[in-house]
Amino acid sequence: MDDLRPLPHTTRLARTSREGVELLLEHRDSYVDELWLDHDLGGEDSIMPVVTLLEEAASQGRPFRIGTVYVHSANPIGAETMVRSLSRWNYRVRRAAA
């Protein structure tokens, strides 16, 4: 999920948080090998609605099945927030160069 960058090995791409939430819900019962997340998605939009969805699923005992979440944001504070939030719920999170 990124508003500007092309992503490696992309099979599905969301450019807004709304598209990201819809895409995750569409694949709710599927295994996602890699999920790439950018914090700032243009204008007032950010990835936080997607992070909240992932957190809520985990808090209800049904986390999304994701191999690795890659955080590739150029926003260091936003990226750290995403890493901390998702790691706390036992998602495997890695920082990647933005």
Side-chain angles (χ1 to χ4, degrees):
M1 298 173 195
D2 193 302
D3 61 323
L4 298 172
R5 297 176 194 89
L7 299 176
H9 317 296
T10 301
T11 57
R12 299 288 303 270
L13 181 62
R15 295 291 188 187
T16 66
S17 61
R18 181 178 179 171
E19 290 175 6
V21 167
E22 290 172 0
L23 190 59
L24 279 174
L25 291 175
E26 178 183 330
H27 296 280
R28 179 62 178 108
D29 296 316
S30 302
Y31 175 79
V32 176
D33 187 44
E34 295 180 1
L35 180 63
W36 289 73
L37 302 178
D38 179 21
H39 185 275
D40 301 321
L41 298 177
E44 298 293 317
D45 197 12
S46 80
I47 201 66
M48 293 316 291
V50 172
V51 172
T52 299
L53 176 66
L54 294 168
E55 290 176 309
E56 286 175 353
S59 75
Q60 295 167 0
R62 194 168 172 248
F64 282 80
R65 295 182 311 131
I66 301 169
T68 304
V69 177
Y70 290 94
V71 173
H72 64 276
S73 181
N75 175 334
I77 294 171
E80 183 57 32
T81 298
M82 292 164 39
V83 169
R84 270 188 285 119
S85 296
L86 296 174
S87 295
R88 181 172 57 122
W89 292 105
N90 297 316
Y91 289 101
R92 183 173 183 227
V93 184
R94 301 285 182 258
R95 284 292 307 266

